[in-house]
């Protein structure tokens, strides 16, 4: 692969940090533009531009007319964001990569595995509908004027700093205190989890790849444990041998906590298994190498060495107690 000039809009998030590292390792000339507030360190040879990507004039000044072979946009969530990104850099690039979301796929899915031809429709979650609207804008630009766009749809991608459960660290604290934790549904739905280092292999293979222009790719890997397994592996990593898992219907949880509802009903509550054949055909090196039993150990190791990140959400902790008491009373 020849060296490319890559601009990352973002570049220090859960997914994008691994992608930046992989792009540098592949020999690319990498520039990262963001607000500089992430705790994740960038490789030393990355050019970092600290600016608010929503400020088009400031971004234009920071780039100073620089040209890039690829613009990778991790920071656009609504069509207006995409328009700004295209104006300041994306239109001039040889490839504009938009990070969409696999949550945009039909919910509930009519069939699995989900593929790139699965319809995009999510009536539950505005975040997903906004991503679909962004995709619609970009597909129209590709059709109308040949914008060299590539759309990438990750699902639940994590690194050592991100817990995948509803309560985050609150769930770990509950487990270690011997308290029960809430698991949505009966815990048997499958949920695809992708480590960001694995995701980065596929993503890097798409950089400057002409066969990827005008195309959309699912990048998730093949690891789809059940939610019961996910909570049990987290418990094991936290040193808890016999976790108490209390199963509550997703609709009930959404009624108790409207903040959880859209993401739960619009994504997590469904068995989401994906076909990655399309991206693997272009990037044969892509595979799932880090499964969540190992991922959970890495997460707990990171949190145990960063006590300042062990934040218990007192409101949600108390809400979990009330939900569990109500469920047990109803069961009795």
């Amino acid at each position: 692969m020849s060296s490319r000039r890559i601009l990352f809009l973002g570049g220090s998030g859960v997914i994008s940090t691994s992608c930046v590292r992989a792009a540098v390792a592949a020999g690319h000339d990498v520039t990262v533009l963001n607000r500089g507030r992430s705790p994740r360190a960038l490789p030393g040879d990355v050019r970092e531009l600290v600016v608010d990507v929503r400020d088009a004039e400031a971004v234009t000044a920071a780039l100073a007319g620089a040209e890039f072979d690829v613009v990778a946009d991790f920071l656009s969530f609504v069509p207006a964001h995409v328009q700004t990104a295209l104006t300041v850099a994306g239109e001039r690039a040889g490839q504009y990569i938009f990070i969409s979301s696999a949550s945009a796929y039909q919910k509930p899915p009519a069939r699995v595995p989900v593929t790139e031809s699965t319809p995009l429709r999510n009536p539950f979650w505005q975040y997903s509908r906004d991503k679909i609207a962004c995709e619609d804008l970009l597909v129209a630009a590709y059709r109308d004027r040949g914008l060299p766009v590539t759309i990438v749809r990750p699902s639940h991608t994590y690194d050592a700093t991100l817990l995948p459960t509803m309560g985050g660290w609150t769930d770990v604290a509950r487990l270690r205190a011997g308290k029960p934790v809430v698991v949505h549904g009966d815990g048997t739905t499958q949920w695809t989890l992708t480590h960001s280092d694995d995701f980065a292999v596929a993503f890097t293979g798409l950089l400057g790849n002409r066969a990827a222009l005008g195309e959309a790719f699912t990048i998730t890997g093949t690891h789809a444990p059940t939610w019961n397994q996910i909570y049990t592996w987290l418990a094991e990593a936290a040193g808890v041998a016999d976790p108490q898992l209390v199963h509550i219907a997703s609709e009930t949880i959404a009624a108790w906590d409207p903040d959880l509802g859209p993401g739960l009903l619009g994504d997590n509550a469904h068995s989401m298994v994906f076909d990655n054949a399309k991206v693997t055909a272009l990037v044969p090196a892509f595979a799932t190498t880090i499964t969540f039993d190992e991922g959970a150990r890495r997460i707990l190791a990171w949190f145990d060495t960063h006590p300042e990140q062990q934040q218990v959400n007192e409101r949600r902790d108390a809400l979990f107690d009330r939900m569990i008491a109500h469920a047990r009373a109803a069961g009795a």
Side-chain angles (χ1 to χ4, degrees):
M1 178 186 296
S2 59
S3 178
R4 309 278 183 176
R5 294 165 299 172
I6 315 293
L7 172 64
F8 282 83
L9 302 179
S12 57
V14 170
I15 304 178
S16 58
T17 298
S18 291
C19 293
V20 167
R21 288 197 299 260
V24 170
H28 295 302
D29 178 2
V30 175
T31 299
V32 166
L33 187 150
N34 59 36
R35 292 181 295 175
R37 298 180 182 177
S38 172
R40 300 175 184 86
L42 295 170
D45 45 0
V46 168
R47 180 188 180 205
E48 186 173 11
L49 302 176
V50 179
V51 64
D52 185 347
V53 73
R54 308 291 177 235
D55 187 338
E57 290 186 6
V59 172
T60 299
L63 294 177
E67 300 290 336
F68 298 94
D69 300 304
V70 181
V71 172
D73 184 359
F74 287 81
L75 294 180
S76 288
F77 301 97
V78 298
H81 296 166
V82 172
Q83 285 289 178
T84 299
L86 291 175
T87 299
V88 299
E91 289 279 9
R92 302 191 305 275
Q95 181 186 32
Y96 172 79
I97 303 181
F98 173 67
I99 311 305
S100 185
S101 171
S103 70
Y105 286 122
Q106 179 188 59
K107 298 295 183 305
R111 62 183 62 84
V112 292
V114 169
T115 73
E116 286 81 0
S117 63
T118 298
L120 302 183
R121 182 178 184 274
N122 192 325
F124 304 99
W125 200 3
Q126 186 62 45
Y127 166 82
S128 307
R129 294 194 292 274
D130 288 340
K131 286 289 191 178
I132 293 169
C134 291
E135 289 198 29
D136 289 343
L137 184 157
L138 291 167
V139 169
Y142 171 74
R143 289 173 176 163
D144 294 345
R145 62 180 189 274
L147 179 75
V149 63
T150 298
I151 294 169
V152 169
R153 299 181 187 130
S155 187
H156 198 146
T157 308
Y158 70 98
D159 66 1
T161 72
L162 185 66
L163 284 149
T165 63
M166 287 185 292
W169 182 258
T170 302
D171 285 327
V172 176
R174 292 179 67 89
L175 287 166
R176 283 181 165 171
K179 297 175 69 174
V181 293
V182 174
V183 180
H184 62 270
D186 64 1
T188 63
T189 54
Q190 289 182 272
W191 185 247
T192 298
L193 286 169
T194 310
H195 194 281
S196 60
D197 288 349
D198 285 337
F199 177 93
V201 173
F203 184 82
T204 304
L206 297 179
L207 296 174
N209 191 327
R210 295 194 61 79
L213 301 183
E215 299 286 350
F217 297 90
T218 301
I219 303 181
T220 65
T222 57
H223 181 55
T226 67
W227 281 104
N228 285 339
Q229 288 176 302
I230 291 167
Y231 278 87
T232 299
W233 283 331
L234 276 175
E236 290 175 357
V240 178
D242 189 21
Q244 302 176 61
L245 308 183
V246 176
H247 298 99
I248 299 177
S250 299
E251 293 79 6
T252 302
I253 296 171
W256 279 88
D257 192 342
D259 290 343
L260 290 173
L264 191 57
L265 299 179
D267 210 11
N268 301 44
H270 308 282
S271 278
M272 296 305 296
V273 180
F274 301 91
D275 184 338
N276 287 255
K278 184 175 180 179
V279 72
T280 305
L282 288 190
V283 192
F286 174 54
T288 296
T289 68
I290 304 169
T291 52
F292 192 68
D293 51 340
E294 170 61 21
R297 288 190 287 269
R298 296 187 187 189
I299 290 170
L300 267 295
W302 186 85
F303 273 92
D304 284 342
T305 56
H306 292 79
E308 74 282 359
Q309 298 296 324
Q310 298 177 14
Q311 302 294 320
V312 172
N313 184 321
E314 301 292 348
R315 182 194 69 83
R316 189 157 288 162
D317 189 36
L319 189 59
F320 284 154
D321 283 336
R322 294 198 298 273
M323 290 163 68
I324 290 167
H326 186 271
R328 287 178 167 172

